[in-house]
Amino acid sequence: MSLYEPAVFGALNLSNRVVMAPLTRTRADADGVPTDVMVEHYRQRAGQGLIVTEGTWPVAEAKSYPGQPGIETDEQVAGWRRIADAVHAAGGTVVMQLMHGGRVSHPDITGADRVVGPSALAAPGQTRTPKGKVDLPVAHALTADEIPVVIEQFVQAARNAIAAGLDGVEVHGANGYLVHEFLSPVSNIRDDAYGGSPENRARFAVEVTQAVAAAVGAERTGIRLSPQHNIQGVLEHDDADVRATYTAVAEGLAALDLAFVDVLSADPTGDLVQHIRRTAGAPFILNSGFGSPTTREEAETLVTADWADAVAVGRPVIANPDLARRWELRAELNEPRPELFYGSTAEGYTDYPSLDDVRAGVA
């Protein structure tokens, strides 16, 4: 199996096994509507086998960052339809990452009067709001009656994404946001059916994914996980507890026949990650590059050695819209400009030259 071979993940047809990882870039407008520059950004990157969009909020209370897009309003759905149409016209496949930020937010960002989480705890550190940097607030602990409401928010967001023409959705269960907050005994100190034991802490992730899959089709549904990523106060240091928790998640997912499971890990070939893969039994995307960018050699090896069915890549795709082609041709790469990763303009977003432009001397 080669990184450059096509693949079929459920209803998703991949032209190759290079996946554009979800990348927050803060280029939506003040109402969370995708902009013209976002349409061009995603269109340029349609040559990757699969695009996973930036984390997109289902309701305003779920928004984590200024400039982050939503999928709640008719205007947002119409904006995403423009992106889906552009990607499809360029021959690509695109799924939307559904992201509820949980306690990693602030009322000055969302306009809501609270942030929510599994427990009444604040994430560590500060966040940047339109009014400046502030401490992250103590979350409102979701009640047993409120949890089904949040699950339905994910479901409606998934329906909206499909209505916008995207090919599928990915539940964001990683990186310290709401679904991940439920998994850790540090961020989840509940004593009801959603807390305490590993099985209970896994329940929310499974129920969200199950409900989304029931709404739009398991063949169009995936989930991202980041076991032991230890970020934003979602700490998973007890190896035995982590294995039990993610075993429960993977066993719950295995019953769903998902399009894919997407795992971010610094140890992609380690026992825990590969145990999740075996247990979940779905097409498996690996992303190893959070600490340092994934190289071509690493990505090729992960697929050819059968550690994964596809590899998600972040920073190299930011700088090289045609990365899959460049890698396959062993071509030169553009260097990313991290100081421009987050912003509101085309600079550092859609102005990276293609390989054809570089070779023609356009850049």
Side-chain angles (χ1 to χ4, degrees):
M1 189 163 61
S2 163
L3 184 65
Y4 310 107
E5 290 179 9
V8 177
F9 292 178
L12 309 174
N13 293 307
L14 284 63
S15 58
N16 56 69
R17 294 162 189 261
V18 180
V19 175
M20 176 175 159
L23 297 159
T24 295
R25 304 299 302 281
T26 66
R27 261 73 173 191
D29 74 11
D31 295 320
V33 177
T35 53
D36 290 346
V37 74
M38 288 175 62
V39 176
E40 177 62 10
H41 170 75
Y42 284 108
R43 184 202 65 77
Q44 289 176 350
R45 287 156 181 80
Q48 276 52 254
L50 177 66
I51 291 173
V52 183
T53 74
E54 62 207 280
T56 304
W57 43 270
V59 294
E61 188 174 80
K63 180 180 179 180
S64 280
Y65 306 106
Q68 185 185 7
I71 189 63
E72 181 180 18
T73 69
D74 290 345
E75 293 77 13
Q76 291 162 2
V77 170
W80 279 109
R81 185 175 295 114
R82 295 171 59 217
I83 290 173
D85 288 349
V87 170
H88 292 153
T93 300
V94 57
V95 301
M96 177 178 289
Q97 186 184 70
L98 306 177
M99 174 183 155
H100 194 306
R103 65 184 190 170
V104 184
S105 189
H106 192 277
D108 289 346
I109 294 171
T110 65
D113 60 2
R114 65 181 192 177
V115 299
V116 302
S119 301
L121 300 169
Q126 295 186 311
T127 190
R128 190 178 301 278
T129 79
K131 299 178 182 179
K133 294 193 77 172
V134 295
D135 292 340
L136 287 161
V138 174
H140 163 75
L142 289 166
T143 68
D145 290 337
E146 289 171 328
I147 286 175
V149 175
V150 175
I151 292 173
E152 182 57 30
Q153 292 168 352
F154 275 96
V155 168
Q156 187 57 50
R159 291 193 179 109
N160 289 350
I162 299 302
L166 284 91
D167 300 295
V169 295
E170 174 182 272
V171 173
H172 196 348
N175 295 9
Y177 301 111
L178 183 64
V179 175
H180 196 196
E181 290 164 18
F182 271 87
L183 296 176
S184 164
V186 175
S187 49
N188 178 355
I189 56 173
R190 304 173 71 98
D191 58 6
D192 64 358
Y194 291 90
S197 70
E199 294 75 19
N200 282 358
R201 283 183 275 111
R203 188 182 309 275
F204 184 69
V206 174
E207 288 186 355
V208 168
T209 312
Q210 182 179 40
V212 167
V216 301
E219 73 279 6
R220 298 187 181 278
T221 302
I223 185 172
R224 169 164 272 217
L225 303 170
S226 60
Q228 294 191 299
H229 194 29
N230 297 321
I231 192 172
Q232 302 193 125
V234 178
L235 306 180
E236 298 169 314
H237 291 309
D238 183 326
D239 291 345
D241 181 86
V242 170
R243 187 177 181 90
T245 302
Y246 282 90
T247 296
V249 172
E251 287 175 349
L253 300 177
L256 304 180
D257 196 22
L258 296 177
F260 63 88
V261 173
D262 176 6
V263 172
L264 170 67
S265 175
D267 187 18
T269 65
D271 179 67
L272 174 63
V273 170
Q274 294 300 314
H275 171 67
I276 293 170
R277 181 191 189 189
R278 291 189 300 270
T279 306
F284 199 63
I285 301 171
L286 270 179
N287 186 178
S288 66
F290 201 88
S292 59
T294 301
T295 65
R296 174 184 58 78
E297 293 82 2
E298 180 184 8
E300 289 177 348
T301 298
L302 287 171
V303 171
T304 57
D306 195 28
W307 296 110
D309 299 295
V311 177
V313 188
R315 281 160 286 184
V317 178
I318 288 176
N320 300 275
D322 49 359
L323 181 73
R325 180 180 177 226
R326 288 177 185 249
W327 272 0
E328 186 171 18
L329 295 176
R330 305 297 196 262
E332 61 271 30
L333 299 179
N334 302 321
E335 286 297 318
R337 291 170 281 166
E339 70 278 8
L340 299 173
F341 283 173
Y342 308 107
S344 58
T345 70
E347 188 181 10
Y349 190 59
T350 58
D351 59 353
Y352 288 102
S354 68
L355 181 61
D356 287 343
D357 286 344
V358 169
R359 291 183 169 175
V362 174

